[in-house]
Amino acid sequence: MHSIEVFLHYFSINILIVLMMAKLKQIGYTITYDQIVDEKITPKVAKLMGEMHEVAIQGSKNGDKLLEKTIATYPTIPQFKNYLSIWYNTKGNTKKAIEVNDSIIKKHPEYLFAKVNKAAMCIDNRDFDTVIKLLGSSLDLKVLYPERTVFHVSEVEAMSNIAVKYYVYKGNFEQARIRLDILKEINPESVLIDAFENFILASEVLSKSTIEAEDYMRTTINQPKTRNKLAPKFNHKEIELLYKQEILSEEDIQVLLALPRVTLINDLETVLDDSITRYTYFSKEEFDSSNYNFVFNSLLLLRELKATESLPKLLHVLAQSEEYLYMYFADLLPEYLWMIIYELGQNQTEILLDYVKKPLIYTYSKTAVTSAIAQLALFQPKRRKDVIKWFKVVMNYYIQGKEEEIDPDFIGLLIGDVIDIQAKELLPEIEKLFELEYVDYMTCGDLEEVMMCLTGDLDEVFQLEFNTIGQINMMLEGNEEPDDMDSVSNEMYNDFILNQFTNHQIINSQKVNRNDPCPCGSGKKYKKCCLLKNTNA
């Protein structure tokens, strides 16, 4: 989940008066840097909030149980629920984090930060209508909360962050700069200021005219609306476990894998079809379920079964819209789908080659394929030459293809996969792609950096790790740490002041190189994890 991340700094009262006086008349309310009085936040509760915030951002073991117990004790305090959402996000379970955040919006509609977190995700998905429903058409705190005259600085900063991105995407650069000016006034040291300055400038340069929502160029199909609400008939009643259990236990997995192979595969493919034919039904807010993992778990089971015959069905799923893929996979797509493609498609590389050439395929669907092919060269070294030939064909296809069909993000990530396997043989094609300006260098570095990675002294490959369906479900549940979590330094939090009022997640300030392990603890390289999230601003 993409949350609004803020720095919280305290300034002397004299500096505050100088900075804020000019803006107060414009924005129509008072900004405070002191904790807003809330009778529910007693000194005891405030102390507990600090402790639970640490549990959340550290992703402490069994932190979900501890937070749920605290929530049960203080059900009227939304901050504790926000910590639970942060804990799930820290553990990599974005779906659960979103589910908790959505529940906060329903139970505590006055709690701004749950709305802001949801709005940030909606902006990333270009769902501007929902942003306005959540935060109002003016994106103004005073309009959203007319009964209030005082707002905490963190509330103003959170709303400003949303407003800047919203107005840039809508093409209203003047309003975006006004909101950025407010951000500068309340927190002149925020690293977001430079990022937003560049974001606004780049957006103006790239758009010769106003950027309207309808001008947003789709890179996937428009998901067809469906009317079907009836569940399909399955050969095995045990398949219902997939719809009822968000996280499969080891016992659930064994029960399902013990079913007859042919009819089980047929049922799992039916589940995949169901996710498409009942898409509208599942996507409705009134659908009383947060379990969209039935699609992902079906694919994991097909992988366990080595169901190579199901590759076309898998690729059909990955050819759906960005909205479909986000709803069912969220951030699971770049994290785990390559494993499934590797198992089902390692001996069907021609089918995979045709797939990555198709237009209107989601960037990270194609990248999951190229990552799987790249890993063939590392797990099966005898196939290295074939893998390089495969990548050469893909690159030449796009070199000779139509410019309007180029996806620079995909090309950048494709080059990243080539770097991962140190395929120096592909430098001529890489140079040509850069020459044609088809590469988003933010995802792989500029040509000089790429050449350094491929011709330098390091000669380092990047081999991914396989996880079983049981291990993946344990990680989604938060009961197992990623293998390299111990390598993530707790020092990343030491540079920031933790504020008990807002309890937002903290931005990492230390310098991380694009080929370093991502400091979020995902186990991926920084260039394939948080760097992508940051450059999507």
Side-chain angles (χ1 to χ4, degrees), residues 261-308:
R261 186 179 188 276
V262 174
T263 49
L264 173 57
I265 290 175
N266 179 264
D267 279 350
L268 294 173
E269 291 188 350
T270 299
V271 171
L272 300 181
D273 288 334
D274 185 36
S275 70
I276 298 171
T277 58
R278 285 202 289 167
Y279 170 77
T280 301
Y281 166 72
F282 287 128
S283 64
K284 292 290 186 182
E285 289 184 3
E286 58 265 27
F287 173 59
D288 187 23
S289 174
S290 60
N291 176 26
Y292 294 118
N293 275 5
F294 65 88
V295 181
F296 182 53
N297 278 320
S298 295
L299 293 175
L300 289 175
L301 288 166
L302 287 170
R303 174 194 165 212
E304 293 290 321
L305 293 166
K306 302 184 186 301
T308 55

Side-chain angles (χ1 to χ4, degrees), residues 212-230:
E212 299 291 350
E214 57 266 25
D215 292 332
Y216 171 62
M217 184 177 294
R218 293 190 63 86
T219 57
T220 65
I221 65 169
N222 287 298
Q223 192 68 30
K225 293 183 178 180
T226 57
R227 296 184 178 181
N228 184 28
K229 296 182 179 181
L230 297 177

Side-chain angles (χ1 to χ4, degrees), residues 414-434:
L414 175 73
I415 292 172
D417 288 319
V418 170
I419 293 173
D420 287 344
I421 61 173
Q422 287 293 296
K424 302 176 179 63
E425 301 91 331
L426 295 171
L427 268 173
E429 286 76 19
I430 291 174
E431 290 176 349
K432 185 63 177 178
L433 287 167
F434 272 101

Side-chain angles (χ1 to χ4, degrees), residues 475-527:
M475 283 189 280
L476 293 181
E477 192 174 22
N479 290 334
E480 182 174 304
E481 301 284 356
D483 290 340
D484 67 344
M485 180 62 83
D486 290 338
S487 68
V488 182
S489 172
N490 289 331
E491 293 179 0
M492 69 177 66
Y493 301 112
N494 292 345
D495 295 332
F496 309 103
I497 300 173
L498 303 182
N499 183 282
Q500 294 178 354
F501 178 75
T502 55
N503 310 299
H504 271 284
Q505 292 174 301
I506 308 302
I507 298 175
N508 177 28
S509 68
Q510 69 184 46
K511 175 66 175 177
V512 184
N513 294 319
R514 66 179 63 249
N515 288 310
D516 289 343
C518 190
C520 75
S522 66
K524 296 182 288 185
K525 284 187 177 182
Y526 180 53
K527 68 183 180 183

Side-chain angles (χ1 to χ4, degrees), residues 408-419 430 434 438-451 453 514-515 527-528 531-532 535:
D409 288 333
F410 168 66
I411 299 298
L413 291 166
L414 175 73
I415 292 172
D417 288 319
V418 170
I419 293 173
I430 291 174
F434 272 101
Y438 286 173
V439 185
D440 178 5
Y441 68 88
M442 293 300 294
T443 61
C444 64
D446 57 25
L447 179 58
E448 183 179 352
E449 290 177 288
V450 170
M451 293 183 69
C453 288
R514 66 179 63 249
N515 288 310
K527 68 183 180 183
K528 290 194 175 183
L531 177 61
L532 289 181
T535 56

Side-chain angles (χ1 to χ4, degrees), residues 379-438:
F379 284 100
Q380 302 180 43
K382 291 182 179 179
R383 301 184 65 175
R384 176 182 169 80
K385 289 184 178 179
D386 291 335
V387 167
I388 292 174
K389 180 180 178 181
W390 189 94
F391 275 103
K392 185 184 289 286
V393 172
V394 172
M395 289 181 166
N396 280 313
Y397 173 80
Y398 284 105
I399 288 171
Q400 300 163 12
K402 299 177 181 179
E403 184 175 354
E404 61 268 22
E405 293 183 1
I406 296 298
D407 178 352
D409 288 333
F410 168 66
I411 299 298
L413 291 166
L414 175 73
I415 292 172
D417 288 319
V418 170
I419 293 173
D420 287 344
I421 61 173
Q422 287 293 296
K424 302 176 179 63
E425 301 91 331
L426 295 171
L427 268 173
E429 286 76 19
I430 291 174
E431 290 176 349
K432 185 63 177 178
L433 287 167
F434 272 101
E435 179 185 332
L436 292 168
E437 298 184 351
Y438 286 173

Side-chain angles (χ1 to χ4, degrees), residues 19-49:
L19 289 175
M20 298 307 302
M21 284 301 293
K23 288 292 178 183
L24 286 179
K25 292 182 180 179
Q26 294 182 27
I27 60 180
Y29 51 79
T30 301
I31 299 174
T32 180
Y33 286 73
D34 296 323
Q35 183 167 322
I36 294 178
V37 176
D38 184 337
E39 61 183 14
K40 291 181 292 188
I41 311 299
T42 64
K44 177 183 176 182
V45 172
K47 182 176 182 295
L48 183 60
M49 287 171 67

